């Protein structure tokens, strides 16, 4: 065990993953000290968290009438927090493309990024990998499926792996007809059967766009081609994913559906530390565990995302941006649920082939895709 505690920054500390991370860290103050916290606009919760852990840096992206002088304000606070000298682990729990520059800055500065913010690895996988090589930093996934794969691999490389099988709960509409899904309401789409999450990822889980993001995330994290990454529906969310090795052996990681363990493991990998955050595993209580084929034709966002991953270049960034914009419009009640995959498909047709080789080009692709989706629905 290390003698002095490691400094941790939580970007997006007021969200679902951010608050989980803070809870986990509070159980392990012997190992970790929270040095930096950031939020988008939730001043009240951020203030409570600051009073609790007394970080040396506080960032707020959007501030209203009463900016606090001792807090850093504006979008730059994420990168500032990620680069701090007193921080060695950055938990990136921001939602969406807004988290990209902080991830790049952190790995360039040689830090570990415990990454929940999957959108940015999807958007800029090759850039993030190059930045890791440049600065000596590393990305450790917080996403439960990828944490499971990392744990199953236990240090083995992609050459030992035949296939990754990501599990998907199937979301709230797993058993709905295609017609009924297309007209689902916001309230119905936010009712996830096994996980309590932020609004954006809840909608992504309902469209299966989340699983598409995760397939691309797995491709970049573990270096496997898309032919070797599959998805299976597992409604109980107890098996968090499988790894099939070249000799045919299959490993899986199981557990009660909770983000506490993946967050803790991203901090301690490859070590394990004693923790009671997850209820004890009881196979009888968890049973039966069932698996189903994914309904690709009825949830087109998954196929669109995998195709965008295979196309590479800016296509994954366009997929992500079109999805983010369409989800925002859906949550505002301005488009139908079935319009989300329609918007993604149209944006990829129109702009999937644009340049994606630099940070600026990806930023442009992101903006163009968002504008395209708004214009598509005259919003
Ligand atoms: P939430 O919506 O609950 O939280 C998002 C956090 O990011 C909040 O702290 C929010 O601040 C902040 N934020 C939002 N927009 C911006 C912005 N433009 N700039 C800076 N900060 C911003 O989301 P989740 O915690 O559910 O998800 C976070 C990430 O983790 C997503 O990428 C998601 O896909 C991923 N993830 C989530 C899982 C889950 O179980 N929730 C599981 C696996 C991955 P404020 O509160 O002030 O608005
Ligand atoms: Mg996941």
């Amino acid at each position: 065990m290390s003698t002095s505690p490691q400094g941790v920054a939580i970007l997006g500390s007021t969200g679902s993953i951010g608050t989980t991370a803070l809870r986990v860290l509070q159980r392990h103050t012997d190992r970790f000290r929270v040095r930096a916290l950031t939020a988008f606009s939730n001043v009240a919760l951020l203030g409570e968290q600051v009073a609790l852990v007394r970080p040396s840096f506080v960032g707020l992206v959007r501030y209203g009438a009463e900016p606090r002088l001792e807090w850093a304000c504006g979008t730059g606070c994420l990168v500032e927090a990620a680069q701090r000298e007193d921080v060695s682990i950055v938990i990136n729990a921001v939602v969406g493309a807004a988290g990209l520059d902080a991830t790049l800055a952190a790995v360039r500065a040689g830090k570990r990024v415990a990454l929940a913010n999957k959108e940015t690895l999807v958007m800029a996988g090759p850039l993030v990998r190059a930045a890791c090589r440049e600065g000596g930093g590393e990305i450790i996934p917080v996403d439960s499926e990828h944490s499971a794969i990392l744990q199953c691999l236990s240090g083995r490389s992609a050459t030992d792996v035949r296939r990754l099988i990501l599990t998907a709960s199937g979301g709230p509409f797993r058993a709905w007809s295609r017609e009924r899904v297309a007209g689902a309401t916001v309230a119905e789409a936010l009712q996830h059967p096994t996980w309590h999450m932020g609004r954006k990822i809840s909608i992504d889980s309902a469209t299966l766009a989340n699983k598409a993001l995760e397939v691309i995330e797995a491709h970049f994290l573990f270096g496997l081609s898309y032919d070797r990454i599959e998805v299976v529906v597992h409604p109980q969310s107890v098996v968090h994913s499988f790894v099939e090795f070249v000799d045919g052996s299959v490993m899986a990681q199981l557990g009660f559906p909770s983000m506490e363990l993946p967050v803790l493991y991203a901090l301690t990998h490859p070590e394990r530390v004693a923790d009671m955050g997850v209820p004890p595993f009881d196979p009888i209580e968890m049973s039966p565990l069932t698996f189903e084929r994914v309904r690709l034709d009825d949830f087109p966002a998954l196929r669109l995302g995998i195709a965008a991953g295979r196309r590479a270049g800016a296509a994954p960034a366009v997929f992500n941006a079109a999805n983010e914009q369409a989800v925002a419009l859906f949550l505002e009640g301005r488009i139908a649920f079935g319009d989300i995959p329609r918007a993604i498909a149209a944006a990829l047709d129109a702009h999937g082939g644009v340049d994606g080789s630099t940070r600026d080009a990806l930023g442009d692709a992101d903006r163009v895709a968002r504008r395209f989706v708004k214009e598509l629905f005259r919003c």
Side-chain angles (χ1 to χ4, degrees):
M1 191 188 136
S2 56
T3 45
S4 61
Q6 287 180 279
V8 178
I10 312 178
L11 313 182
S13 62
T14 48
S16 162
I17 291 289
T19 50
T20 302
L22 199 57
R23 208 166 44 240
V24 169
L25 287 161
Q26 288 297 96
R27 294 200 295 270
H28 296 280
T29 47
D30 54 330
R31 288 175 175 265
F32 305 108
R33 277 293 133 77
V34 179
R35 299 291 188 199
L37 296 174
T38 78
F40 181 67
S41 63
N42 191 342
V43 179
L45 181 54
L46 185 61
E48 282 174 32
Q49 295 178 336
V50 168
L52 184 70
V53 296
R54 305 196 170 281
S56 49
F57 179 90
V58 186
L60 187 66
V61 172
R62 181 172 293 173
Y63 53 96
E66 300 167 59
R68 303 201 190 178
L69 292 177
E70 67 280 18
W71 291 6
C73 292
T75 44
C77 73
L78 297 175
V79 167
E80 221 181 306
Q83 287 176 326
R84 286 183 65 83
E85 292 252 321
D86 59 356
V87 163
S88 57
I89 305 178
V90 176
I91 301 176
N92 191 342
V94 168
V95 60
L100 176 58
D101 290 325
T103 294
L104 289 171
V107 292
R108 277 196 193 114
K111 303 188 194 295
R112 167 175 293 195
V113 175
L115 187 74
N117 180 227
K118 65 189 95 180
E119 292 93 339
T120 62
L121 191 58
V122 167
M123 181 182 175
L127 255 61
V128 173
R129 282 165 71 162
C132 287
R133 283 193 298 273
E134 225 175 86
E138 61 179 353
I139 303 282
I140 305 292
V142 165
D143 221 349
S144 57
E145 296 77 0
H146 306 74
S147 175
I149 291 166
L150 186 67
Q151 293 177 59
C152 294
L153 285 173
S154 57
R156 298 199 174 276
S157 73
T159 52
D160 288 341
V161 175
R162 188 186 287 161
R163 226 167 22 131
L164 304 178
I165 305 172
L166 302 186
T167 51
S169 71
F173 308 140
R174 177 176 62 87
W176 286 30
S177 70
R178 189 192 309 195
E179 296 68 32
R180 196 173 162 212
V181 171
T185 65
V186 171
E188 287 167 336
L190 288 174
Q191 288 296 318
H192 197 276
T194 47
W195 300 99
H196 296 287
M197 311 177 286
R199 286 159 67 84
K200 191 262 179 182
I201 186 177
S202 295
I203 303 302
D204 287 352
S205 300
T207 58
L208 297 197
N210 181 52
K211 215 42 63 174
L213 295 171
E214 292 184 355
V215 168
I216 303 172
E217 183 186 9
H219 166 79
F220 287 125
L221 283 172
F222 304 112
L224 266 83
S225 71
Y226 287 99
D227 294 335
R228 291 160 68 197
I229 307 172
E230 292 178 18
V231 175
V232 66
V233 171
H234 169 48
Q236 298 81 19
S237 303
V238 169
V239 176
H240 297 312
S241 280
F242 300 94
V243 176
E244 183 183 47
F245 290 93
V246 284
D247 59 2
S249 175
V250 179
M251 305 273 283
Q253 187 260 339
L254 285 72
F256 188 80
S258 157
M259 290 308 294
E260 303 244 341
L261 173 71
V263 166
L264 177 63
Y265 189 74
L267 300 170
T268 64
H269 166 83
E271 275 181 63
R272 290 186 182 275
V273 299
D275 185 78
M276 295 301 285
V278 181
F281 187 69
D282 179 347
I284 311 291
E285 197 190 313
M286 303 278 180
S287 60
L289 299 182
T290 59
F291 301 92
E292 301 164 12
R293 225 175 286 291
V294 65
R295 289 165 53 200
L296 279 174
D297 292 335
D298 300 331
F299 294 90
L302 177 54
R303 189 177 270 151
L304 286 165
I306 296 172
R310 287 179 187 273
R311 193 170 171 185
V318 168
F319 170 81
N320 178 63
N323 180 55
E324 282 191 30
Q325 186 60 67
V327 169
L329 294 176
F330 172 69
L331 285 170
E332 288 165 18
R334 301 169 81 164
I335 66 172
F337 189 80
D339 287 332
I340 299 173
R342 214 159 59 80
I344 297 170
L348 281 167
D349 277 348
H351 300 291
V354 301
D355 178 32
S357 55
T358 62
R359 170 70 187 91
D360 285 349
L362 288 170
D364 289 345
D366 179 279
R367 272 186 294 279
V368 164
R370 283 172 205 262
R371 197 176 328 121
F372 175 88
V373 170
K374 281 197 208 158
E375 283 168 6
L376 186 67
F377 299 108
R378 299 191 179 78
C379 293

